[in-house]
Amino acid sequence: MVNDRLTLGVASRLSRYLQVLTQAKRMGKTSISSQAVSEYTNVNPTQIRRDLSGFGKFGKRGVGYDIDMLIGQIRKILRTSGQHHIALFGAGNLGQAIASSGVFGDHGFRIAAMFDVDPEKVGTSVGDLTVRHYTELQRVVAEDGIQVGVLAVPSATAQQIADDLVSSGVKIIFNYSDALLTVPSDVTVHASNPAVELLYALYFYLS
Amino acid sequence: MVNDRLTLGVASRLSRYLQVLTQAKRMGKTSISSQAVSEYTNVNPTQIRRDLSGFGKFGKRGVGYDIDMLIGQIRKILRTSGQHHIALFGAGNLGQAIASSGVFGDHGFRIAAMFDVDPEKVGTSVGDLTVRHYTELQRVVAEDGIQVGVLAVPSATAQQIADDLVSSGVKIIFNYSDALLTVPSDVTVHASNPAVELLYALYFYLS
DNA sequence: TAAGGTTTGTGACAATCCGTTACAAAGGTT
DNA sequence: AACCTTTGTAACGGATTGTCACAAACCTTA
C-alpha cells in the first residue's frame, strides 16, 4: 500500500500543494492549515487532509501543518527529494527568464547547462551559467547526467532538438514552443500553454 | 443539457484538445483522429469521442476530425470564440517573451497593453506594443475593456498590482511570479509553476 | 461494384475517485 | 476548566472514468 504508485489525481494534487507551500514559505509563513491550502488550490480541505494522512500524520491538531516539514514530506512522497539536472535550450527572452527565475532551484532542479546556436549568444553569461553551443549537447548530457530538457526555442527547431535529446537518452522534455513534438512512447513531453489555461479559467468566469 | 455548465473535467480536457489541435494546425495538418489526439494528451480515445459527441457530431467516420472545424466548435463550447483583452505587467525577459510569442493571439486573446514602472522601459516598443507606465492602469483597463491581467513581475510587486487590478474591476489574474496572492473570492488567480509540473512528470517517470 | 480496413458515435457496466457529513482526539487560548 | 480550532478518519452516495463492444459511415483498392 505505502509503496503503491500514486494515482494521477493524488500526484497532481500533491504537486499543487507543494506549489502553494513553497509560495507560502517564501511569504514568510511557517505553518498553514488545510483550510488555507484549500483556498489557494480549490481542493476540498477534507480531501487535502485525506491525501496527506495516507502517508503519515504530518499535522498538529488545532494548529495546522509545519510548512517546511510538509514540503519535505511531499517531496519524499513524490520521490523527488534529490537533485535533478536539467538542460535549457534557447537563450532568448524566455530562456533567460527561466534561467534567472529561481523557480526550478526552489524545487531541487539545477539548470546544469544552457544552449543556443546563435554565435552572438554562445559564450555569454546568464546568471551563473555560460551559454554553450548546441553541438556540445551529447557530451554535456552524458557528463552532467541531464534528465530533463527544457525547450525555449522557436517551433521550427524544436523537433530537431527533441530528436537529439532522445538519442542522448533524455526521457523527459518540457516544451515551451508551439511545435507538436513526435517522440518514442517511452519519452514524456510536457507542453504548457498559458493561453489554453486562460481559456479554461475564462470559461468558469463567464458562466 | 446542452446549456449546462461544463464539469471541471470536461472543460479541462477540451482545453487540452484545443492546445493539441492548435499545434497540429500549425504543423500543417488538416485532420486528426481521436487516436492521435489521445497520444498527445494521454486521454483515452473513447473519452475524447464521448466528450465531443455530447455537443454534436463533429467527426467523419473512417476519417477523423477536421481540425479547423473542431477548433471552432470547441471554442464555441467553451464560449471563448470572441476577442478577449489582456494586460501584461512587466516588460522584463518574461514579459517580452510573452508579448512576442503569439500563443495568446492564436487563441483569440489580444494583448491590449503592456506596463512597467522602469523609466528605461516605458515608451519602448515590444512587438507592436508600446510599454506604458503603470500609473495608466486604471484608465486603460476601463477604456480597453481589459478582462485579464498577466503578472510577469518580481514577487515583491505582484500583490500591489493584483490589488490595483481588483479595484479596477479585473476578475482574472494570471500570476507568473512566486508570490502567493490574496484576492477577494470572486477573483480567480491562476498560477503556473513549471517546476511543479516537472516534479509531477518526473514522478511518473521514476516509478 | 465489392470487399476490407479505419474511425466515429454510442451504449453498458464496473471500478475508481471525490465531495460531503460527521465526529472524536489533540492542541492552543483565555 | 471551558472553549475554540484543526487534524485524522470513517462512511456513504454521486459523479466521473476506463473498458469492452459494435453498428454505421467513410475511404481505398482491387
Side-chain angles (χ1 to χ4, degrees):
Chain A
M1 185 64 88
V2 167
N3 215 11
D4 248 7
R5 207 171 216 271
L6 304 183
T7 63
L8 290 170
V10 174
S12 137
R13 287 196 300 277
L14 287 176
S15 306
R16 273 194 285 167
Y17 305 157
L18 201 51
Q19 174 171 4
V20 169
L21 292 169
T22 311
Q23 287 178 314
K25 177 180 177 175
R26 192 174 274 256
M27 306 298 280
K29 297 192 181 179
T30 59
S31 144
I32 195 165
S33 70
S34 59
Q35 176 63 42
V37 175
S38 168
E39 277 156 25
Y40 291 114
T41 58
N42 295 315
V43 176
N44 188 295
T46 305
Q47 183 75 33
I48 295 174
R49 295 202 299 276
R50 188 164 31 188
D51 283 339
L52 297 174
S53 78
F55 303 97
K57 307 194 180 189
F58 303 142
K60 270 194 183 166
R61 299 176 186 224
V63 183
Y65 297 88
D66 179 86
I67 291 184
D68 275 331
M69 191 270 255
L70 193 52
I71 288 177
Q73 293 291 349
I74 293 181
R75 284 206 186 138
K76 245 190 243 169
I77 298 168
L78 291 175
R79 298 186 213 160
T80 47
S81 322
Q83 270 280 338
H84 299 284
H85 302 272
I86 80 185
L88 182 55
F89 297 86
N93 279 320
L94 183 56
Q96 291 185 42
I98 294 172
S100 49
S101 86
V103 265
F104 283 107
D106 278 350
H107 291 280
F109 293 100
R110 193 172 71 84
I111 301 182
M114 190 167 177
F115 295 96
D116 208 303
V117 289
D118 183 348
E120 297 263 320
K121 287 179 184 142
V122 173
T124 62
S125 290
V126 177
D128 37 315
L129 283 169
T130 300
V131 178
R132 309 202 201 189
H133 194 273
Y134 183 66
T135 46
E136 296 187 60
L137 187 159
Q138 190 107 21
R139 191 172 53 73
V140 172
V141 165
E143 283 179 7
D144 287 355
I146 303 288
Q147 296 167 300
V148 179
V150 176
L151 271 45
V153 298
S155 354
T157 56
Q159 181 66 55
Q160 180 60 53
I161 298 177
D163 292 345
D164 293 343
L165 281 169
V166 167
S167 38
S168 304
V170 172
K171 294 279 194 279
I172 301 180
I173 296 176
F174 209 95
N175 177 26
Y176 279 107
S177 84
D178 293 321
L180 192 60
L181 301 179
T182 305
V183 297
S185 65
D186 63 336
V187 175
T188 305
V189 175
H190 192 102
S192 157
N193 186 327
V196 170
E197 295 174 48
L198 207 47
L199 282 181
Y200 175 72
L202 214 61
Y203 173 75
F204 288 100
Y205 168 59
L206 293 177
S207 33
Chain B
M1 185 63 91
V2 168
N3 215 8
D4 247 7
R5 209 169 215 271
L6 304 183
T7 62
L8 290 170
V10 174
S12 136
R13 286 197 300 278
L14 287 176
S15 306
R16 273 194 285 167
Y17 306 156
L18 201 51
Q19 174 171 4
V20 170
L21 292 169
T22 310
Q23 287 179 313
K25 177 180 177 176
R26 192 175 274 257
M27 305 300 279
K29 297 191 182 180
T30 59
S31 143
I32 196 167
S33 71
S34 60
Q35 176 63 42
V37 176
S38 168
E39 277 157 24
Y40 291 114
T41 58
N42 296 315
V43 176
N44 188 297
T46 306
Q47 182 77 30
I48 295 174
R49 295 201 299 277
R50 188 162 29 187
D51 282 341
L52 297 174
S53 79
F55 303 98
K57 306 194 179 188
F58 303 142
K60 270 194 182 164
R61 300 176 186 223
V63 182
Y65 298 88
D66 178 85
I67 291 185
D68 276 331
M69 191 271 256
L70 193 51
I71 288 176
Q73 293 291 349
I74 293 181
R75 283 206 187 138
K76 244 190 245 168
I77 297 169
L78 291 175
R79 298 185 214 163
T80 48
S81 323
Q83 270 279 340
H84 299 284
H85 301 271
I86 79 185
L88 182 55
F89 296 86
N93 278 319
L94 182 56
Q96 291 186 41
I98 294 172
S100 49
S101 85
V103 266
F104 283 107
D106 277 352
H107 290 281
F109 294 100
R110 193 172 72 84
I111 301 182
M114 190 166 176
F115 295 96
D116 208 303
V117 289
D118 183 347
E120 298 263 321
K121 286 179 185 143
V122 173
T124 63
S125 290
V126 177
D128 37 314
L129 283 169
T130 301
V131 178
R132 308 199 200 192
H133 193 272
Y134 183 65
T135 45
E136 297 188 59
L137 186 159
Q138 190 105 20
R139 190 170 55 73
V140 172
V141 166
E143 283 177 8
D144 287 355
I146 302 287
Q147 295 168 301
V148 180
V150 176
L151 271 45
V153 298
S155 356
T157 55
Q159 182 65 55
Q160 180 61 54
I161 298 177
D163 291 346
D164 292 343
L165 281 169
V166 167
S167 39
S168 304
V170 171
K171 295 278 193 280
I172 301 180
I173 296 176
F174 210 96
N175 177 25
Y176 280 106
S177 83
D178 294 320
L180 193 60
L181 301 179
T182 305
V183 296
S185 64
D186 64 334
V187 175
T188 305
V189 175
H190 192 103
S192 157
N193 187 327
V196 170
E197 296 174 47
L198 207 47
L199 282 181
Y200 175 71
L202 213 60
Y203 173 76
F204 288 100
Y205 168 60
L206 293 177
S207 32

